[in-house]
Amino acid sequence: MMGKSYEERLDAADRSSKEEAKPHDAPAITWESDLVVAKSQPAPSELAEGPSSEAAKDGPALGSEAEEKTEMVLHRPLDDPLVNDLDSHSRYYLYHFATQLCEDMVVYDMPGANPIRDLIPATSAYPLLLHIIVANAAFHVFNISRNPMGQSAYQNQQSSCLVAYYQAVSRYGGPLQSSYRDALAAKTNALSLLAQSVASVTPANIDLVLVTILLFVNYTLVESGKDKWKVHMDGALSLIKLLGEPPYLQQPMSRLRLTILSDLLVFYVLGSTLSFSTMSKFVPDTIDLEPILRYAETNNYLSMPSPLLRIMLESFELPDSRDGTSGNLRDHIQMQVGVLLQRALDFDPIAWSCHFEPASPFEDLKQRVRIASAHRSAVCIYLARVLPATHPLLDPASDTALVNLTMLANDVVQHISHLKPGDAVFKCICWPLFLAGAESEDPAQREWIMNILDTLYSEMYWGYLHTVKRVLETIWLCKDRAELGSDNCWVDEVKEMGTDVLIA
């Protein structure tokens, strides 16, 4: 016999739908204190009829026993008190800051060795800190969500940063489309709170204010590396002056303050790359500079040896000899530059590494020597940039020439070529690579530098790398227009750009 027709089956389904559905015996969930308790629900007919006579005879004990058989206790998932009052986006941004940006701010992100990460729990008590952390993370997410810089031959696989973002954000509702607006809103809130805090600085909150300013400078790097960082650094320097006198003075300094000052010191030094002007002292004389320099060379993301940092700090006391200074003063300045150049050339990275304090049990001293060697040549380029190209210290035809700028650039490139994505010090390469690029004359070398900057961007997604590439393109255009052997025109060209650029 043939099966039922489609119409017959449809009629049967219709009749079935008209029958009264029987209630399910699935337990209903109710909230009791901090547990979720699921209990069996009686059928409506049972509710109407009341307890059966047999159940009444058995008394409440039987009812309790039956209830125990059908009761399920589900533990409510506990929310971290740190994020309990935050929306899902803010929760993700805190997570993103902890898992990606904190790692970028040090060479080795070891447990207990990254004071910036240790500050995250304080966001529940300090809205100022919360907003600037959210701003950093949100803009970083915005960078990741946009098309990255042009891919190069060195990028054979997906960025680990990119993969980690898309894997993690799926647990928070998918890619965040409002990250740019979130970043600006958080930054605006942080600026408002910072203004209030700066107006009422005390020994109890000065480190919090300084670390917030540090994170504002960091935000500028994530965004573009242009303009606003200088305002924040000037504000930080004003507060640092207070640290040299009681009740703000700490002897010895706390780990947090040491980290803040070393990071600000590095930004202070790097910020001078394109400023070409005399700069004030970083810390008062009552604060010992040596521990700050030591920490900066150990776990600050730049990993610049302290002897080279000290040389750069001393160079800040010298005005630019290219600014029209004449006569004996100009000769004196150039003589002092020669002394500093010789000290930089005398720096021995291998000997330095023998006394270096490792930041991690997994420290690779060969990588440290490579980046230290690149920094040495970059510092020489940095010092020489204030000298005319025809100066005897630079002129290859001179018997007294100390350095050759092209050879210094080649040396930087040679050392950096031994580093690769995933190396702890790969994030340290931008500043020396920029200075090498500024002196590069070889088109193939320039292309290689751009490719490496692309690779670094795909590892970090920090917006200042876009700016570095644009500045290099401007410099190369200037150099290519100039005649062979002409003065270091890129110095004046960058001055005329009229923007404060932080090359980090």
Side-chain angles (χ1 to χ4, degrees):
M1 183 177 179
M2 295 180 63
K4 294 182 180 179
S5 67
Y6 173 77
E7 289 79 3
E8 290 175 320
R9 283 186 277 121
L10 191 61
D11 289 340
D14 185 56
R15 287 194 302 272
S16 175
S17 65
K18 293 178 182 178
E19 295 178 0
E20 185 176 352
K22 294 183 179 180
H24 293 286
D25 293 330
I29 296 177
T30 58
W31 292 96
E32 291 184 8
S33 183
D34 61 345
L35 299 176
V36 183
V37 180
K39 297 181 179 179
S40 61
Q41 286 281 80
S45 58
E46 294 175 353
L47 288 173
E49 296 171 1
S52 66
S53 58
E54 292 182 3
K57 290 177 183 177
D58 291 335
L62 182 60
S64 299
E65 182 180 350
E67 183 176 300
E68 287 176 5
K69 290 181 180 179
T70 58
E71 184 179 281
M72 295 185 297
V73 178
L74 309 176
H75 289 274
R76 179 191 297 178
L78 297 177
D79 281 335
D80 186 339
L82 173 64
V83 299
N84 196 34
D85 296 327
L86 301 181
D87 60 80
S88 61
H89 282 201
S90 296
R91 293 184 188 192
Y92 175 73
Y93 292 137
L94 271 183
Y95 171 83
H96 186 86
F97 184 84
T99 56
Q100 296 218 29
L101 285 178
C102 283
E103 181 181 354
D104 290 343
M105 297 173 71
V106 292
V107 177
Y108 287 100
D109 188 22
M110 303 291 292
N114 188 349
I116 301 300
R117 176 189 298 285
D118 296 341
L119 282 172
I120 293 175
T123 56
S124 59
Y126 297 102
L128 170 60
L129 190 60
L130 172 65
H131 286 303
I132 190 57
I133 284 178
V134 167
N136 272 267
F139 210 100
H140 192 245
V141 168
F142 174 65
N143 288 344
I144 292 174
S145 63
R146 290 190 296 174
N147 290 329
M149 297 167 83
Q151 300 292 302
S152 74
Y154 294 88
Q155 296 167 269
N156 296 321
Q157 57 187 4
Q158 283 278 15
S159 159
S160 58
C161 177
L162 198 65
V163 172
Y165 165 69
Y166 282 107
Q167 286 179 344
V169 79
S170 62
R171 302 198 299 269
Y172 294 82
L176 307 182
Q177 303 299 323
S178 61
S179 55
Y180 183 75
R181 294 194 305 274
D182 294 341
L184 295 185
K187 185 182 78 166
T188 300
N189 290 333
L191 281 170
S192 176
L193 293 171
L194 179 61
Q196 298 173 28
S197 299
V198 169
S200 56
V201 168
T202 66
N205 74 354
I206 192 167
D207 287 339
L208 171 69
V209 175
L210 279 171
V211 79
T212 302
I213 293 174
L214 172 64
L215 290 172
F216 264 108
V217 177
N218 204 75
Y219 175 90
T220 304
L221 286 173
V222 174
E223 184 184 47
S224 67
K226 293 190 293 187
D227 299 325
K228 298 300 182 183
W229 70 271
K230 188 71 166 55
V231 175
H232 296 305
M233 276 303 304
D234 290 343
L237 291 174
S238 298
L239 292 177
I240 289 172
K241 290 178 182 178
L242 297 176
L243 301 181
E245 301 293 338
Y248 298 96
L249 183 64
Q250 287 182 353
Q251 290 180 334
M253 280 184 285
S254 67
R255 185 181 185 85
L256 174 60
R257 182 171 293 186
L258 189 61
T259 302
I260 295 169
L261 291 182
S262 66
D263 286 1
L264 287 172
L265 169 67
V266 170
F267 288 141
Y268 173 77
V269 169
L270 300 187
S272 71
T273 306
L274 302 179
S275 67
F276 313 102
S277 59
T278 305
M279 298 175 68
S280 60
K281 276 192 171 184
F282 177 71
V283 293
D285 293 334
T286 51
I287 296 179
D288 186 5
L289 187 61
E290 189 60 29
I292 301 172
L293 293 173
R294 284 288 184 186
Y295 183 86
E297 76 174 3
T298 302
N299 211 27
N300 176 273
Y301 78 98
L302 184 66
S303 185
M304 181 181 285
S306 59
L308 296 178
L309 275 173
R310 191 176 286 278
I311 290 171
M312 292 184 69
L313 287 171
E314 291 179 24
S315 75
F316 294 167
E317 301 173 11
L318 301 175
D320 186 355
S321 64
R322 300 161 50 87
D323 64 359
T325 305
S326 59
N328 294 334
L329 178 58
R330 182 186 60 208
D331 294 340
H332 173 73
I333 293 170
Q334 294 178 356
M335 182 182 70
Q336 292 301 311
V337 170
V339 171
L340 294 175
L341 266 173
Q342 188 61 62
R343 282 174 55 191
L345 289 170
D346 290 341
F347 171 73
D348 184 348
I350 296 177
W352 165 80
S353 70
C354 294
H355 305 284
F356 177 77
E357 296 181 12
S360 164
F362 310 105
E363 188 76 68
D364 187 333
L365 286 180
K366 289 182 180 179
Q367 291 182 14
R368 289 281 192 170
V369 169
R370 287 290 183 190
I371 197 64
S373 300
H375 279 314
R376 178 186 60 184
S377 293
V379 168
C380 289
I381 295 173
Y382 170 89
L383 294 170
R385 85 203 194 293
V386 300
L387 298 174
T390 55
H391 193 277
L393 293 176
L394 304 180
D395 188 357
S398 170
D399 295 334
T400 58
L402 275 180
V403 294
N404 180 297
L405 294 175
T406 301
M407 291 179 64
L408 288 172
N410 292 342
D411 188 64
V412 171
V413 168
Q414 192 269 333
H415 286 293
I416 289 178
S417 69
H418 289 273
L419 303 175
K420 61 185 183 301
D423 291 343
V425 297
F426 188 72
K427 69 189 75 172
C428 314
I429 67 173
C430 182
W431 186 77
L433 198 60
F434 167 78
L435 286 165
E439 296 299 339
S440 177
E441 304 286 351
D442 181 10
Q445 187 180 76
R446 291 177 179 181
E447 182 181 359
W448 184 87
I449 289 171
M450 286 299 198
N451 285 338
I452 292 298
L453 289 173
D454 281 352
T455 304
L456 181 59
Y457 183 84
S458 71
E459 289 290 301
M460 297 181 66
Y461 289 95
W462 286 43
Y464 79 95
L465 291 164
H466 288 285
T467 304
V468 170
K469 290 183 69 176
R470 285 194 291 269
V471 173
L472 281 176
E473 287 169 347
T474 301
I475 290 172
W476 291 338
L477 185 63
C478 166
K479 290 172 74 74
D480 292 344
R481 286 200 307 257
E483 297 179 0
L484 185 64
S486 61
D487 204 356
N488 298 340
C489 69
W490 72 266
V491 174
D492 297 320
E493 190 75 14
V494 171
K495 278 185 179 181
E496 292 173 6
M497 290 174 66
T499 56
D500 290 314
V501 178
L502 181 56
I503 308 292

